[in-house]
């Protein structure tokens, strides 16, 4: 393909370069995928108003987002397993976002760890957090993000119960991939992807394995993950939420463990956002 010019071009390029199980993970939704399709449809309906007979010489998209100067009001959203789309994918995406001047958001379910991304960036990035049953692990993630100078905590509030992702189930998705005939064929037909992956040590969930209790390999990770998402999640349970001016300690979260909303590099996500 010649130089990609559109998002559709990039999608076609990714489909040719990335094993099917990982491409499908990025390009799919849960159950019937009706929400996924509706999101695309809704976004396509947003139009920019044209302004005419106006001096456009000094036009700019620069603005600020939560006190951070950005080149345009856009942030890279958290995407799990970016490091399986391309070797060290989260690190590369964070560097690209920094170079362009927009925020990068690292997923809890990333391949590259918080520390990996911090090691290749000079500006604060954002961190997306799942509130899980393992409170010590969640607070450990928050402290690691603070140590890495993350400037915002992006709380996922709509995943108390995991949706059934049919493509992932059919593909037998895992990171690292299992060596079944189907998976070996997918990887063999993507030689450049394989060569890149052979040159990195990051092939599984860097924020979790070695940090969560009793999670040391892909088998224990799968069992741990399915047990972690908490259907009771509500605002009083979220780390750093405030009730009548006091930090909540509901369900055992220590009062000292929440986000510290007034500190320069750690801003509490407002529940209204």
């Amino acid at each position: 393909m010649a130089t990609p010019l559109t998002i559709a071009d990039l999608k076609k390029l990714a489909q040719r370069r990335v094993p099917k199980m990982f491409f499908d993970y990025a390009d799919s939704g849960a159950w019937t995928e009706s929400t996924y399709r509706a999101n695309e449809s809704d976004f396509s309906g947003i139009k920019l108003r044209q302004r005419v007979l106006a001096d456009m010489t000094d036009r700019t998209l620069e603005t600020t987002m939560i006190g951070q100067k950005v080149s345009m009001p856009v942030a890279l959203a958290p995407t799990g397993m970016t490091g399986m789309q391309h070797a060290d994918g989260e690190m590369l995406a964070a560097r690209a976002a920094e170079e362009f001047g927009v925020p990068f958001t690292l997923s809890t379910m990333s391949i590259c760890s918080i520390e990996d991304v911090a090691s290749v960036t000079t500006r604060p990035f954002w961190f997306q957090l799942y509130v899980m049953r393992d409170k010590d692990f969640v607070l450990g993630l928050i402290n690691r993000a603070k140590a890495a100078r993350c400037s915002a905590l992006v709380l996922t509030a709509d995943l108390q119960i995991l949706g059934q992702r049919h493509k992932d189930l059919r593909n037998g998705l895992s990171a690292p991939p299992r060596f079944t005939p189907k998976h070996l064929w997918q990887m063999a037909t993507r030689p450049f992807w394989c060569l890149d992956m052979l040159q990195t040590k990051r092939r599984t969930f860097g924020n979790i394995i070695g940090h969560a209790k009793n999670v040391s390999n892909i088998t224990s990770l799968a069992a741990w993950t399915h047990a972690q998402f908490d259907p009771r999640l509500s605002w009083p349970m979220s780390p750093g939420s405030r009730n009548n001016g006091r930090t909540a300690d509901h369900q055992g979260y220590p009062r000292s463990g929440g986000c510290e909303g007034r500190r320069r590099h750690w801003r509490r996500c407002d529940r209204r956002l």
Side-chain angles (χ1 to χ4, degrees):
M1 177 185 288
T3 302
L5 301 176
T6 66
I7 297 298
D9 291 343
L10 291 171
K11 182 176 177 179
K12 291 178 182 177
L13 192 61
Q15 193 167 17
R16 292 214 305 256
R17 291 186 176 183
V18 179
K20 184 178 186 298
M21 55 187 149
F22 297 123
F23 177 83
D24 282 353
Y25 172 77
D27 187 46
S28 65
W31 301 104
T32 63
E33 300 186 355
S34 59
T35 302
Y36 172 47
R37 293 192 298 272
N39 286 341
E40 286 196 329
S41 176
D42 289 347
F43 274 113
S44 68
I46 298 174
K47 308 299 181 185
L48 299 179
R49 185 179 65 180
Q50 183 182 16
R51 298 183 63 186
V52 298
L53 298 178
D55 186 353
M56 305 297 287
T57 305
D58 297 320
R59 63 191 182 278
T60 179
L61 294 176
E62 288 186 358
T63 186
T64 58
M65 298 173 68
I66 61 168
Q68 178 180 340
K69 185 177 180 180
V70 295
S71 62
M72 62 187 302
V74 170
L76 269 65
T79 305
M81 294 203 294
T82 300
M84 287 288 109
Q85 304 294 332
H86 190 290
D88 298 336
E90 291 91 357
M91 297 165 70
L92 296 174
R95 289 172 60 185
E98 182 175 288
E99 182 178 346
F100 193 75
V102 298
F104 168 78
T105 314
L106 182 67
S107 169
T108 293
M109 305 302 290
S110 61
I111 301 300
C112 302
S113 68
I114 297 170
E115 293 78 12
D116 289 333
V117 173
S119 72
V120 297
T121 54
T122 59
R123 298 180 61 184
F125 55 95
W126 299 356
F127 182 69
Q128 174 267 333
L129 177 72
Y130 291 115
V131 180
M132 299 178 174
R133 292 179 185 269
D134 188 336
K135 303 173 187 65
D136 290 338
F137 172 71
V138 171
L139 294 174
L141 276 178
I142 293 173
N143 288 329
R144 289 168 60 197
K146 288 171 65 177
R149 299 187 307 115
C150 291
S151 56
L153 183 68
V154 181
L155 181 66
T156 295
D158 63 349
L159 200 63
Q160 294 99 317
I161 298 175
L162 289 172
Q164 190 177 94
R165 296 173 56 89
H166 296 165
K167 289 181 181 177
D168 294 349
L169 293 172
R170 294 187 180 108
N171 288 329
L173 179 71
S174 67
R178 298 181 178 90
F179 290 104
T180 66
K182 176 174 64 176
H183 295 143
L184 288 171
W185 172 252
Q186 288 186 25
M187 291 184 284
T189 55
R190 303 293 188 272
F192 293 109
W193 180 90
C194 291
L195 288 173
D196 284 339
M197 293 304 298
L198 287 173
Q199 297 178 57
T200 181
K201 62 182 180 181
R202 302 172 185 89
R203 304 188 191 98
T204 191
F205 297 96
N207 288 326
I208 299 176
I209 290 186
H211 297 280
K213 295 176 183 176
N214 302 318
V215 179
S216 58
N217 54 50
I218 190 65
T219 302
S220 56
L221 172 66
W224 180 86
T225 301
H226 281 87
Q228 285 304 308
F229 290 92
D230 194 342
R232 301 170 300 169
L233 176 62
S234 59
W235 276 112
M237 288 180 62
S238 61
S241 65
R242 294 183 179 275
N243 185 10
N244 296 327
R246 297 182 178 180
T247 302
D249 61 356
H250 187 60
Q251 298 297 331
Y253 283 106
R255 292 179 182 272
S256 61
C259 308
E260 299 174 30
R262 299 299 179 184
R263 291 197 176 184
R264 179 181 178 188
H265 294 305
W266 196 251
R267 295 179 174 84
R268 180 173 63 88
C269 295
D270 193 297
R271 69 183 64 185
R272 293 169 294 181
L273 295 180

